[in-house]
């Protein structure tokens, strides 16, 4: 038996990786293998094989077989190009193809093995669940389902194939929930130990997953084919914006005026997340800064970034003092009679009336909001960080007291949001334990999931195929 036929997981040998990289470097034929365009496009990664599956290329061939199911060169090529595009958009260095190709192939093998297990388990995903997932993706990107379909078509991605791969993702997610997440438990002793460890932790975290950041950015975009003179002019513009920020100008206002980033509507804020979920370029530029610090201009493939540290802390640390926000909102749920676009237009009209003094926010909430808070004038009460869905909380955190947002889309519908006030408060011992329990559960689930993925991959029979001569 040669090293080409093993049932256990391993990466292709370096000669094989080089051969694959060479094949993948050849000019593309047939359908476009690009993902959705980063500028003004979907923030969610579209399933990798969609574009490649839309049109079969004559030169296609099998690069690996997983339990009798093939992975083709076109699928791998599409995955490669989309991954490179996403890394560039994030400002992350793109590894050489000789390193990236075998990593991607191994990921595709693992994903296929998980999907095969999910199908064999008897789990099913009905059409209504897929419909809900499509609507959720559209809402998270603040577009309609029709607009989502239009963008997919522009990028050469077949909508039926897109739905099929969404169904596969849901299927694997349900298997993971059954096999991994439901079996994870957190004991009171685990919580006690976690709190003791956190109280004894003083130095900076060596692991990026243990550091939480909320960064705000202003992106001065640089066109792909910009001349050296244009690049120099845009860099000078970014430097001027940075100097204005350092002189005390409001960062949110500067973001609204100058930024080309999707976070512009949130005052540039990208949300609190672990540092490993930010581009390494951003983490390196801000690692020595405290909250309120500014960095830049930082050059990426997208342009020049001015960065502000909004918040920096130990991830999962149940701090005794937190900032609570009291806000109110008006929620409209799209229906066949009220489209999402119409809901947005209606709430935009509400905002104009409120700002002009022609209407009262609480009165409009009682009359029109479809949330349980309507009876209280939309008042959501005092909220701790993390209580609301990210798309809602990110906008809320970017508002000043009494400021009214533009209509925003969440998985629940379309909101008009106003921050009433903020305060610093102390967490009770019970609240600290609740936070610790959630942090530990997520950590244990991640560890259990990684072990499960390795086990599924290890049990798969994988045969690597040589490229045709």
């Amino acid at each position: 038996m040669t090293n080409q036929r093993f049932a256990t997981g391993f990466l292709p040998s370096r000669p094989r990786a080089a051969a694959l990289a060479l094949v993948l470097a050849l000019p593309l034929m047939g359908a476009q293998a690009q993902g959705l365009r980063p500028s003004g496009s979907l923030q969610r990664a579209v399933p990798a094989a969609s574009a490649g599956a839309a049109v079969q290329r004559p030169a296609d061939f099998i690069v690996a077989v997983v339990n009798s199911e093939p992975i083709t060169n076109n699928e791998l090529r599409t995955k490669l190009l989309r991954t490179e595009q996403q890394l560039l958009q994030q400002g992350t260095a793109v590894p050489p193809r000789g390193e990236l190709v075998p990593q991607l192939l191994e990921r595709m093998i693992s994903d296929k093995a998980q999907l095969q297990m999910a199908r064999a388990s008897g789990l099913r995903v009905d059409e209504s669940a897929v419909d809900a997932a499509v609507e959720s993706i559209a809402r998270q990107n603040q577009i309609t389902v029709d607009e989502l379909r239009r963008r997919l078509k522009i990028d050469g991605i077949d909508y039926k194939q897109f739905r099929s791969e969404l169904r596969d993702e849901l299927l694997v997610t349900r298997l993971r929930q059954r096999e991994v997440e439901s079996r994870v438990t957190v004991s009171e002793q685990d919580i006690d130990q976690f709190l003791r460890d956190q109280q004894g932790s003083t130095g900076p975290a060596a692991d990026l997953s243990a550091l939480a950041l909320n960064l705000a950015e202003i992106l001065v975009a640089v066109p792909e084919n910009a001349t050296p003179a244009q690049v120099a002019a845009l860099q000078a513009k970014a430097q001027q914006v940075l100097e204005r920020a350092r002189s005390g100008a409001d960062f949110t206002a500067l973001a609204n005026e100058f930024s080309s980033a999707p976070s512009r509507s949130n005052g540039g804020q990208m949300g609190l997340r672990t540092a490993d979920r930010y581009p390494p370029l951003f983490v390196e530029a801000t690692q020595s800064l405290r909250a309120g610090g500014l960095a830049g201009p930082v050059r990426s493939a997208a342009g020049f970034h001015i960065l502000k540290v909004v918040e920096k802390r130990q991830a999962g640390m149940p701090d005794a003092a937190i900032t609570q926000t009291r806000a109110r909102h008006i929620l409209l749920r799209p229906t066949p009679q009220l489209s999402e676009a119409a809901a947005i237009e209606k709430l935009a009209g509400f905002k104009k009336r409120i700002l002009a003094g022609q209407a009262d926010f609480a009165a409009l909430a009682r009359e029109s909001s479809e949330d349980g808070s309507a009876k209280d004038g939309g008042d959501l009460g005092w909220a701790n960080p993390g209580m609301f869905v990210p798309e809602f909380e990110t906008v809320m955190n970017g508002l000043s007291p009494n400021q009214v947002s533009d209509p925003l889309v969440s998985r629940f519908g379309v909101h008009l949001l106003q921050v009433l006030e903020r305060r610093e408060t102390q967490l009770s011992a019970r609240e600290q334990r609740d936070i610790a329990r959630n942090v530990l559960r997520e950590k244990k689930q991640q560890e259990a999931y990684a072990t499960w993925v390795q086990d599924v991959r290890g049990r798969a029979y994988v045969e690597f195929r040589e490229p045709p001569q």
Side-chain angles (χ1 to χ4, degrees), residues 51-268:
V55 178
Q56 186 74 8
R57 299 183 182 89
D60 200 12
F61 56 89
I62 294 172
V63 295
V65 178
V66 184
N67 295 328
S68 78
E69 289 191 31
I71 295 175
T72 69
N73 182 61
N74 281 347
E75 291 172 337
L76 182 56
R77 186 198 303 261
T78 300
K79 182 77 169 178
L80 172 70
L81 293 177
R82 188 163 297 131
T83 300
E84 289 176 334
Q85 181 188 41
Q86 291 170 350
L87 291 173
L88 287 172
Q89 178 65 13
Q90 295 168 2
T92 304
V94 179
R97 286 190 170 183
E99 298 177 10
L100 185 57
V101 168
Q103 293 174 12
L104 292 177
L105 179 57
E106 181 63 25
R107 173 65 183 271
M108 294 174 72
I109 290 169
S110 181
D111 289 347
K112 187 172 285 290
Q114 292 174 46
L115 180 59
Q116 290 169 346
M117 176 177 283
R119 287 170 174 165
S121 71
L123 291 171
R124 296 290 181 269
V125 175
D126 58 29
E127 288 299 312
S128 62
V130 180
D131 291 339
V134 172
E135 291 172 3
S136 177
I137 292 170
R139 286 181 181 177
Q140 288 172 22
N141 290 278
Q142 301 190 22
I143 59 176
T144 64
V145 172
D146 288 342
E147 175 65 10
L148 169 63
R149 295 185 67 162
R150 188 185 71 82
R151 294 189 186 186
L152 290 170
K153 183 176 181 180
I154 289 174
D155 287 285
I157 299 172
D158 181 71
Y159 183 66
K160 290 183 179 179
Q161 182 67 18
F162 176 73
R163 286 180 60 91
S164 175
E165 296 198 359
L166 260 185
R167 181 182 290 102
D168 290 345
E169 289 183 13
L170 291 172
L171 196 60
V172 171
T173 298
R174 291 184 180 182
L175 178 67
R176 183 175 68 243
Q177 290 170 341
R178 189 183 74 179
E179 297 293 323
V180 180
E181 296 176 8
S182 64
R183 300 180 184 180
V184 170
T185 59
V186 178
S187 68
E188 294 301 314
Q189 290 76 18
D190 291 334
I191 297 173
D192 291 338
Q193 185 62 49
F194 175 84
L195 293 175
R196 284 194 295 269
D197 292 344
Q198 294 298 327
Q199 289 168 359
S201 176
T202 55
D207 183 0
L208 291 181
S209 65
L211 176 66
L213 290 173
N214 182 7
L215 301 181
E217 71 165 333
I218 297 171
L219 170 62
V220 178
V222 175
E224 184 176 350
N225 299 318
T227 65
Q230 289 174 319
V231 172
L234 291 169
Q235 183 176 11
K237 178 182 177 181
Q239 186 65 42
Q240 292 173 357
V241 175
L242 175 60
E243 294 303 325
R244 288 179 59 180
R246 285 176 172 164
S247 299
D250 181 67
F251 197 91
T252 297
L254 291 175
N256 287 331
E257 183 177 355
F258 294 105
S259 184
S260 300
S263 59
R264 171 184 176 179
S265 60
N266 299 330

Side-chain angles (χ1 to χ4, degrees), residues 7-40:
T8 55
F10 67 98
L11 289 178
S13 63
R14 294 197 64 82
R16 169 175 298 283
L20 282 172
L22 180 62
V23 172
L24 289 162
L26 296 176
L28 294 178
M29 297 179 292
Q32 291 295 321
Q34 299 294 329
L36 292 177
R37 297 182 178 88
S39 177

